[in-house]
Structure formats: C-alpha cells, structure tokens
Amino acid sequence: MPDTPVTPAPDGRPLTAGVAVLATAVAVISVLVGGLLAAVSLTGHVFGAWPSPGSLSPGLVGAAMLGTSPGLFAVGRAARWQDVRTLVYALGVVLVGLFAVTLLNAGRLYIARGGGIVAVLFSLGWLFVLGTLCVAALATLTWQHLGAARPARPRALPLPAWSKPPLAVLGSAWLGIGTGLLLRPGFWAAFVPWDVARPDAQALGVWALALGTGVLGALAEDDLARTRPALLALPGTALAVTLVLAVHARSVDWSSGPALSLVCMLAGLACAGASGLVLLSRSAVPA
C-alpha cells in the first residue's frame, strides 16, 4: 500500500534570513552605540550626532537602543514571521524614522557645523550606518512579504480580555505623542519636561512612535506567543530609560503634567512586558 503523503502543518510565512540578520546586526549596534550614548549621558556629558542642550535626550535615545536589544536578539532565533513581526515593524519605524530625522536636520549635524573630531566622526558614522540599515530594512521587509506563505497556526495564547483596554490606551498615548513630536516638534517640544533641541524632539518622537506601534501591534496580534521578542524589549526599554531619567532627575520638571504622564507610560511598558512574560512562562507554549 503506497504511503499517504503527509501534508505540512500550517505554519504561516517562514522568517527570511535577511530579517534575522538585520535584527541581529541592529541588536549588536544598539548594544555598542546605545550603551555608549547612555554611559556618556550618565556621566553628565553631552555626546551625539548633533548638539543638544543637555545630556538627557541623547542618553534616552541610547537607553531605548540598549533596552530593545534583547528582543532583537530573540528575532534571530525565531522561525516564523508571525512570531516576530510586531517587533520588526517597530524596528522599521525606528530605522526609517531616525534616518529621516537625521536628513531633515542635516545642517545641525557636527559634520555640517563642525566640532571636535570625535563628534564629527560619530555624526558621519551615524548618518552612514543609519542610511545603510534603513535601506536594508526596506529591502528585507519587502522580500519578506513577497515570499510564499502557508496558513498560520491558530493563536496559541490570546491576550487576556482585561489587558486589552489598557494596552489600547498605552499604545495610543505613545503613538500620539510620537507623531506630534515628529511632525510638529516646534509645538510639541514645549510639552517635554526638559530642554530639547529640534532633532532631539524628533528623535524621541520616532522612538515614542515605534513603542506605540509595537504595543498596538501586539494588541492586533492578540497572541502572547507571537509577541515574545516584543515582550522582551518592553521591560528592558522601560528600565533603561528610567535609569537615565533617575540620574538626570534634576533636569526634569517633575511637577508638570507631561512628566507624570511619562512616568505612567513607562510604568505601563514595564507592566505590559513583565506580565506578558510571566503569562508565557506559566503556559505550555514552547519558547
């Protein structure tokens, strides 16, 4: 009797090697560059691709880079696109957004204004590396979506019903603030509870926009097992940003409404990521 052919189990769209390599490369760069920006900021010195009125804003950009790196490293270990797309879409927002902000503020970069040799070389490297990663992200994401896909498996671990309204509020808050800072930095920078330059406001806006994209993307995915890399990135980002803010506490107007909102939004990121990881660890879904 001939063997009956075995139909492959539905597994969705396979993750391409390009996306995995891109995520790993960005993770390594984030550890090195983000760690450098955060460490210099913690010493009270100003360092970045453009002049800033204080060391807090570059430190926050570095902290965000550093905090998301665990999730990016996890992307390279995944096999299916649906298991990583929440974080990868947010990564695309960061790379394209930061490169656009850098180009829009090209006249403010140290390579245009002049400065110390280290600052000039760093701004040149920032522009080159961001441009390369931006092109790579657009190419790899396009190739990822052109590949053939089988039907995806059913959701293994849907989000608890009680978590969806808070996630919708949290994601919308980050998305709204990020959009405002990116598109109208002159107006929205006044709501930032510390001194920021225009490129600082827009760079922070890009990161806020990416966080909002990630949170709302996880809500749309509605499966904790498919958002594991994003869950790893959330508490790390919240912790790194909180550390930089704590060291620069004197630079922040804590009596303002925006400062209170920022504290609540960071707490929301930490709680969302930590609670999701706890629920995953208690489930029978394999890592």
Side-chain angles (χ1 to χ4, degrees):
M1 181 177 180
D3 293 335
T4 303
V6 178
T7 303
D11 204 20
R13 190 185 300 274
L15 182 67
T16 61
V19 172
V21 171
L22 174 68
T24 302
V26 174
V28 172
I29 294 171
S30 296
V31 170
L32 297 176
V33 178
L36 175 63
L37 290 174
V40 173
S41 172
L42 293 177
T43 65
H45 294 85
V46 180
F47 182 70
W50 51 76
S52 299
S55 58
L56 177 53
S57 293
L60 291 178
V61 172
M65 296 171 68
L66 197 59
T68 55
S69 57
L72 294 175
F73 279 120
V75 171
R77 299 193 296 269
R80 300 177 301 175
W81 167 241
Q82 64 263 29
D83 292 339
V84 302
R85 58 189 172 191
T86 300
L87 182 58
V88 174
Y89 283 142
L91 173 62
V93 170
V94 169
L95 294 178
V96 175
L98 284 182
F99 185 56
V101 167
T102 302
L103 292 181
L104 289 172
N105 295 280
R108 301 171 185 259
L109 298 178
Y110 280 113
I111 54 174
R113 296 173 55 116
I117 184 64
V118 175
V120 171
L121 289 177
F122 181 82
S123 65
L124 179 61
W126 176 274
L127 180 62
F128 175 76
V129 172
L130 259 183
T132 302
L133 293 176
C134 178
V135 173
L138 293 175
T140 54
L141 286 176
T142 300
W143 183 257
Q144 175 68 64
H145 286 88
L146 290 176
R150 294 174 293 185
R153 293 175 181 174
R155 288 174 170 81
L157 191 60
L159 298 177
W162 56 263
S163 69
K164 295 180 179 180
L167 284 177
V169 173
L170 179 65
S172 299
W174 282 109
L175 193 72
I177 291 172
T179 302
L181 286 172
L182 182 61
L183 300 181
R184 295 195 62 190
F187 175 79
W188 283 92
F191 293 93
V192 178
W194 61 85
D195 293 333
V196 292
R198 179 185 177 90
D200 290 329
Q202 290 185 306
L204 293 173
V206 168
W207 274 104
L209 190 63
L211 289 171
T213 300
V215 173
L216 293 179
L219 185 62
E221 199 71 70
D222 194 17
D223 187 358
L224 288 172
R226 294 184 184 179
T227 57
R228 193 186 305 270
L231 291 174
L232 289 171
L234 289 183
T237 302
L239 180 62
V241 169
T242 300
L243 175 62
V244 174
L245 284 171
V247 171
H248 293 282
R250 293 184 179 181
S251 302
V252 181
D253 181 11
W254 295 108
S255 62
S256 64
L260 177 60
S261 300
L262 177 61
V263 171
C264 294
M265 291 162 65
L266 287 174
L269 289 182
C271 291
S275 60
L277 290 173
V278 169
L279 291 173
L280 264 177
S281 67
R282 293 179 177 178
S283 71
V285 179

